[in-house]
Amino acid sequence: MRKLWIPGAVVALIVLIAIAAPVLPLMDPIRQDVANRLAAYVPGSPMGRDEFGRDVFSRLIWGARSSLAVAFASATIAAVIGTALGLLGGWFRGVVEFLAIRGADVVLCFPPVLLALLVVTLLGPGTATLILVLSVLYLPGFIRVSFAEVLSARSQDYVEAVRALGARTPRILLRTVLPNIAGPVLVQLSLAVASAVVLESGLSFLGLGVVPPTPSWGLMIRGARATMEQAPMLLLWPCLALTVTILAMNLLCDAVRDVADKRGGGGAKKLRLVDRLLPGLFPAPAAPQPLLDVQGLTVEIATPGGIIRPVEDMAFRLDAGRTLAIVGESGSGKSMAATAIMGLLPPAARVADGVARFEGDDLLRMPEPARRKLRGGAMAMVFQDPMSSLNPVHRIGDQVAEAIRAHRDVPAGKAAAEAVELLKRVGIADPERRARAYPHELSGGMRQRVMIAMAIANRPRLLIADEPTTALDVTVQAAILELLAELRRAEGMGVVLITHSLGVVAEVAEDVVVMYAAQVVESGPVAEVFARPLHPYTRALLAAVPDGDIEPEGIPGVVPRPDAWPPGCRFAPRCGFATEACATPPPLEEFENHAVRCIRWRELSA
Amino acid sequence: MWWLARRIGISLLLMWVVATIVFLALHMVPGDPAEMLLSTGGAMPDAYAIAELRERLGLNRPILEQYGAFLIGLSQGDLGTSLVDDYPVAEEIALRLPRTLELIVAGTLLAVAIALPAGTFAAVRQGGAFDRVSSALAAVLQAVPVFVLGTLLILVLAQWLRWMPAGGYTPFAEDPVRHLVLLSLPAVAVAKGLAATIFRMTRASVLDALSRDHVRTARAKGLTPQRVLRRHVVRNALIPVTTVLGLQMGTLLGGTVLVEYVFNWPGLSTPLLRAVEARDYPMVVGIVITVSGLFLLINLAMDLIYAALDPRITRS
């Protein structure tokens, strides 16, 4: 809000002074006094006198009055007529729409100053001409804004409801639609006023706007140019007044726009292209080693309300050629953990603790250049939404080839040929033609195949797939999972599959990690965990899967927010087995290849 | 190709609309246009002068005949003669237009060359010192009217420091160095508004592009940060920047009129302003139509660039 107050106060002050000009104790702004021509200081004239001996201070204030009068008058006229035209055009459509919208388009065919000069030629310079020209120039903005808003308002439920009640059109437009388009129109009004001040001063500066001797900032600058060597201040004062006024108005416009545009909320995040790095401290451990070994991974996000931990003490192991599934509800931290391992965390998040050894090297403490060489090379990732994850402005063949050339020094032609091979490999029919297509020309399933082709371009040993089928149709989902399973067998990759679907887990994974509220609550081989779930949450998840005739049971409540984790066991508030003992945080108990985070698991599974 | 033919057709149609509006403007004036053009400060113009001007402008002929003659003349590049000195309008424009174009091109190139990298850098280092200083500078530049900046440049660089001539023009063939020196200040003034807008738009759209999923994909491929920035961030951010560039060209053309006046650059604005003052209607019409045509042409070029940048436009 501070953004709105300061420029708002400045603009209000300028407007108030301009309004009050006749009652302020000022000298007559047009009375000439040749004896005091260009005087730097005369009693009663703090800013001196101009080339005709007129009081500069007084002219500055009266100049604000004429600039603002022209600006507000023309912007208001344009707003009233333009909004009316836009409303009617948007409501009645047909001929009215054609006239309003095409009329606006015609005005936009002319560069504004040129159209103004044409009208000045015909009607002669003067305040009335200025107001006429400026209102015509700002009409299109109001027509378009109100037209677009009415079109969207027309289909809104509240307008439909009023119509259904039999309200008459003028009443609907005035009472229901107009108040709802007030925001955008107000934004447009503030833009028009600011822009009108600029145009008015420019035309007056050319001697084609406000007619002398009426004071105007543009005219003052025009007059002072001839004497700028003897009296530079004469030039600087109106320049300063004009610039400060426009600056305040522009800032106010920005602020008004931000307020009106509610989507513009949510403070800007600090973004950096290269992540902050941690120096490599740990020596590589001795072999034999798993493909990926994650221990104690903790991710922190600094928010205005304090630090939250979307991933806490995460641990799992993945061996080459196997598939490990990470399951959990939305917000359980599973995707955040994967992006942390890849070094692709959003800028606000950082790894606070833990190790993630990929073939022995800790990814979390590796310098970014080294990790970059692994990314897309030895380890690759497939994302959830293939539409937004592909760059819309590059051909898909180029995007796949780019992945190849990021890691291998092959000529462009060979990379392109290889890209086509990869597209064929992931089951895209007619790959030569598809390689030349843009992402928007492909279906969702095909786009995900392209993502997979990019990921496997350099024969990765580790593939992390983050909900690769969530955004796809059910039939396509199965095909994509089959493709992943087939690639894993053929290439011997280790796959981490992030999903919220237990059906998917049962089908493709050998090991499973169940996450709840940033923590691992249970992990182990799929067959074992599914047959004999130890944690109440895993049981609840399994019970929630529709299975034959048995009615699925929902889990009461929702995952708590990361800033409000329960103090003890995080599942306790939703758990049917919770006791007083659950108020203390339970440790993750590990034995053989199974792990569970529940103090009552022994009695519950007995 | 169909798309291109259609887009060129629309431009021609708009050109015709512009010409028609300009033609009709004279007839939409309340009362007798000839009387209106001759009236200065309330004094009643001489009846003989009015009759002569009516004859000159062809106002005595039927309106459709006037319109037909106007369009035919226009299509042959005949814009009539000046009311002041009978000089052909088209010849005056042919002499002046290249100088105005030079100023526009120089200003645009300067604005893009500075604002595009600066906006990108400010976005990549969002919140840093460069970002804060350059964002504030852009806001101030946007608020300084173009003629104020021009006048202040003359005051400081020409009058006080005496580094630069205050304005004027020397043909390139005569003295290339002096030509470029004289071009520099007006070009800076023309560039200022555009540079401020491009900077803000580039910064905003690079920030937006940085947060897109496809940028994460590019990083997941293991591309170098420079390549991610160039190919997946800036390349995509150019699309909204081009749109804004097109929208700004109208303002740029108007600003050029003021800049030419401030720096005595003998482009189209000298005869234009002289003609507006002298109510020399044919000259004003000729220049307005020429500059509006230029505006439509620039917009067409912008659309082509836009289509080249964004494959979603022409292909779907």
Side-chain angles (χ1 to χ4, degrees):
Chain A
M1 285 317 274
R2 206 191 61 183
K3 232 179 121 194
L4 190 64
W5 280 116
I6 297 172
V10 175
V11 171
L13 184 70
I14 295 169
V15 170
L16 271 179
I17 291 177
I19 291 174
V23 298
L24 293 176
L26 294 169
M27 293 181 73
D28 183 350
I30 58 175
R31 207 195 68 210
Q32 305 194 356
D33 175 9
V34 185
N36 282 316
R37 208 177 157 264
L38 300 179
Y41 176 79
V42 174
S45 297
M47 293 181 182
R49 300 291 179 86
D50 73 358
E51 69 274 22
F52 293 108
R54 297 173 296 198
D55 178 36
V56 172
F57 183 65
S58 167
R59 287 181 68 75
L60 217 48
I61 286 175
W62 281 88
R65 193 176 160 84
S66 50
S67 287
L68 293 175
V70 168
F72 276 101
S74 50
T76 310
I77 293 172
V80 171
I81 300 178
T83 308
L85 285 175
L87 278 177
L88 297 175
W91 191 262
F92 293 109
R93 313 296 302 268
V95 182
V96 192
E97 173 187 341
F98 180 83
L99 289 179
I101 297 300
R102 294 300 146 222
D105 286 349
V106 167
V107 175
L108 293 174
C109 284
F110 293 90
V113 171
L114 273 290
L115 188 63
L117 290 177
L118 181 75
V119 177
V120 171
T121 314
L122 286 169
L123 300 179
T127 310
T129 310
L130 266 181
I131 293 177
L132 173 74
V133 168
L134 293 177
S135 357
V136 170
L137 284 176
Y138 299 127
L139 264 184
F142 290 101
I143 293 179
R144 291 184 153 206
V145 163
S146 52
F147 176 76
E149 294 292 327
V150 171
L151 277 196
S152 72
R154 253 177 86 108
S155 55
Q156 299 281 320
D157 290 344
Y158 60 85
V159 175
E160 287 293 331
V162 180
R163 279 177 96 178
L165 288 173
R168 306 216 349 238
T169 301
R171 200 185 149 80
I172 301 176
L173 284 180
L174 285 178
R175 292 286 182 82
T176 313
V177 177
L178 194 58
N180 285 292
I181 67 169
V185 169
L186 194 68
V187 170
Q188 196 65 28
L189 187 73
S190 64
L191 290 171
V193 170
S195 163
V197 170
V198 179
L199 262 184
E200 181 277 327
S201 62
L203 288 172
S204 298
F205 172 75
L206 291 173
L208 302 168
V210 174
V211 179
T214 310
S216 140
W217 291 340
L219 273 174
M220 291 174 77
I221 297 171
R222 176 183 174 81
R225 258 163 48 95
T227 56
M228 67 163 79
E229 205 153 358
Q230 302 108 290
M233 288 316 285
L234 218 51
L235 188 67
L236 291 178
W237 285 122
C239 284
L240 190 67
L242 192 52
T243 304
V244 168
T245 305
I246 297 169
L247 182 62
M249 283 184 163
N250 284 351
L251 293 176
L252 186 62
C253 285
D254 287 351
V256 168
R257 189 163 29 193
D258 285 352
V259 172
D261 187 10
K262 292 195 185 74
R263 288 161 296 177
K269 280 181 286 179
K270 183 164 172 156
L271 277 170
R272 295 183 353 146
L273 198 65
V274 184
D275 294 318
R276 191 178 298 261
L277 307 167
L278 294 162
L281 292 173
F282 284 72
Q289 50 190 244
L291 180 66
L292 181 66
D293 185 5
V294 178
Q295 297 294 335
L297 176 63
T298 300
V299 177
E300 286 184 350
I301 298 180
T303 69
I307 288 175
I308 58 168
R309 292 183 162 184
V311 179
E312 204 175 297
D313 195 20
M314 162 105 180
F316 66 84
R317 282 169 63 123
L318 172 71
D319 290 323
R322 288 177 75 89
T323 300
L324 174 120
I326 304 178
V327 286
E329 289 166 272
S330 305
S332 58
K334 52 196 195 303
S335 291
M336 192 65 83
T339 40
I341 293 164
M342 287 294 284
L344 295 173
L345 277 177
R350 65 178 199 95
V351 172
D353 198 8
V355 288
R357 289 202 182 84
F358 175 66
E359 295 175 338
D361 301 323
D362 186 1
L363 293 168
L364 306 179
R365 280 173 189 76
M366 194 178 276
E368 173 62 17
R371 192 160 52 178
R372 180 176 64 70
K373 288 206 181 80
L374 291 177
R375 256 198 325 257
M379 59 178 193
M381 189 157 176
V382 174
F383 300 97
Q384 180 173 345
D385 182 357
M387 183 69 220
S388 64
S389 296
L390 287 168
N391 190 330
V393 307
H394 295 301
R395 295 172 201 275
I396 61 157
D398 293 346
Q399 297 193 48
V400 177
E402 188 181 49
I404 298 168
R405 300 191 72 197
H407 296 277
R408 283 179 281 145
D409 191 16
V410 293
K414 191 165 173 292
E418 213 175 301
V420 171
E421 275 308 304
L422 281 164
L423 292 177
K424 200 162 141 194
R425 178 91 182 75
V426 296
I428 289 179
D430 197 1
E432 286 87 0
R433 200 166 61 84
R434 297 291 186 202
R436 288 190 303 274
Y438 289 96
H440 69 276
E441 295 168 321
L442 303 182
S443 68
M446 234 187 295
R447 285 197 282 262
Q448 194 57 291
R449 285 174 192 271
V450 173
M451 286 297 296
I452 294 171
M454 270 165 40
I456 62 165
N458 298 302
R459 301 180 148 259
R461 298 187 288 282
L462 169 66
L463 181 72
I464 299 179
D466 185 3
E467 306 215 24
T469 58
T470 308
L472 305 175
D473 289 341
V474 183
T475 47
V476 184
Q477 284 184 11
I480 294 289
L481 288 174
E482 212 167 286
L483 172 67
L484 282 175
E486 195 264 324
L487 288 170
R488 181 191 52 129
R489 278 194 301 275
E491 313 280 336
M493 297 184 296
V495 175
V496 174
L497 182 71
I498 295 165
T499 179
H500 58 254
S501 160
L502 292 179
V504 167
V505 176
E507 216 164 295
V508 299
E510 284 117 16
D511 300 290
V512 62
V513 173
V514 182
M515 284 190 79
Y516 182 82
Q519 292 173 330
V520 174
V521 292
E522 183 162 4
S523 66
V526 171
E528 208 179 307
V529 170
F530 277 27
R532 210 162 53 90
L534 298 181
H535 197 282
Y537 178 64
T538 316
R539 292 184 181 195
L541 272 185
L542 287 167
V545 176
D547 181 20
D549 300 333
I550 307 160
E551 186 74 4
E553 285 171 52
I555 308 174
V558 290
V559 183
R561 297 208 332 239
D563 55 349
W565 296 141
C569 169
R570 290 178 183 175
F571 186 60
R574 298 171 73 186
C575 182
F577 307 101
T579 63
E580 267 171 41
C582 298
T584 49
L588 186 68
E589 284 182 59
E590 292 180 74
F591 42 94
E592 288 170 53
N593 51 11
H594 207 132
V596 63
R597 193 189 294 272
C598 175
I599 49 168
R600 296 192 64 201
W601 74 268
R602 277 191 180 82
E603 21 174 339
L604 291 178
S605 57
Chain B
M1 274 308 101
W2 258 117
W3 174 86
L4 182 63
R6 197 174 151 245
R7 188 62 192 74
I8 292 174
I10 291 175
S11 294
L12 288 173
L13 189 74
L14 288 175
M15 196 61 236
W16 168 74
V17 170
V18 164
T20 305
I21 295 287
V22 169
F23 171 81
L24 285 178
L26 184 63
H27 297 270
M28 286 193 291
V29 169
D32 183 357
E35 197 183 314
M36 193 75 200
L37 284 175
L38 285 171
S39 67
T40 37
M44 199 49 196
D46 165 36
Y48 176 73
I50 294 177
E52 202 186 36
L53 184 58
R54 288 188 64 83
E55 187 59 41
R56 245 325 275 286
L57 293 173
L59 291 173
N60 294 322
R61 290 185 286 162
I63 188 160
L64 277 179
E65 196 185 314
Q66 293 178 45
Y67 182 54
F70 172 75
L71 284 188
I72 289 169
L74 195 63
S75 63
Q76 294 168 344
D78 178 7
L79 295 163
T81 58
S82 160
L83 292 182
V84 176
D85 55 10
D86 270 334
Y87 195 75
V89 171
E91 279 186 34
E92 181 78 23
I93 291 175
L95 171 72
R96 307 277 190 162
L97 182 61
R99 300 172 187 164
T100 296
L101 280 179
E102 182 187 3
L103 195 51
I104 291 170
V105 170
T108 308
L109 289 181
L110 192 64
V112 172
I114 293 172
L116 211 57
T120 307
F121 191 71
V124 170
R125 298 282 166 80
Q126 192 195 9
F130 180 82
D131 180 27
R132 271 179 283 171
V133 170
S134 54
S135 294
L137 187 67
V140 171
L141 274 186
Q142 209 159 32
V144 183
V146 66
F147 65 93
V148 169
L149 181 73
T151 310
L152 292 179
L153 283 176
I154 291 178
L155 178 69
V156 175
L157 295 178
Q159 296 282 358
W160 289 353
L161 300 172
R162 307 214 171 265
W163 288 352
M164 292 270 186
Y169 179 81
T170 305
F172 186 80
E174 221 168 80
D175 183 350
V177 175
R178 186 166 170 79
H179 176 87
L180 292 177
V181 168
L182 286 170
L183 174 67
S184 58
L185 287 191
V188 166
V190 167
K192 97 73 229 189
L194 196 61
T197 313
I198 294 179
F199 172 84
R200 296 184 67 170
M201 197 63 211
T202 306
R203 183 178 173 278
S205 42
V206 166
L207 279 179
D208 176 61
L210 277 174
S211 65
R212 292 300 176 94
D213 287 351
H214 66 72
V215 172
R216 188 180 56 182
T217 308
R219 293 179 59 209
K221 283 180 195 173
L223 299 181
T224 59
Q226 296 79 7
R227 193 168 164 84
V228 171
L229 189 64
R230 203 175 62 240
R231 218 176 122 79
H232 294 278
V233 176
V234 175
R235 174 70 175 71
N236 294 57
L238 281 179
I239 296 172
V241 171
T242 312
T243 314
V244 168
L245 193 63
L247 291 174
Q248 280 295 307
M249 288 323 263
T251 312
L252 182 88
L253 291 172
T256 310
V257 172
L258 285 155
V259 170
E260 290 188 2
Y261 174 81
V262 170
F263 290 96
N264 281 321
W265 185 264
L268 281 176
S269 76
T270 318
L272 174 65
L273 294 175
R274 207 192 298 135
V276 174
E277 223 154 330
R279 318 292 287 275
D280 183 353
Y281 197 67
M283 183 63 85
V284 175
V285 163
I287 295 175
V288 168
I289 287 185
T290 306
V291 178
S292 301
L294 187 63
F295 183 44
L296 292 175
L297 208 63
I298 292 173
N299 274 323
L300 177 64
M302 285 299 162
D303 276 6
L304 295 182
I305 295 175
Y306 190 83
L309 286 174
D310 191 346
R312 287 165 294 187
I313 296 298
T314 44
R315 292 184 147 236
S316 52

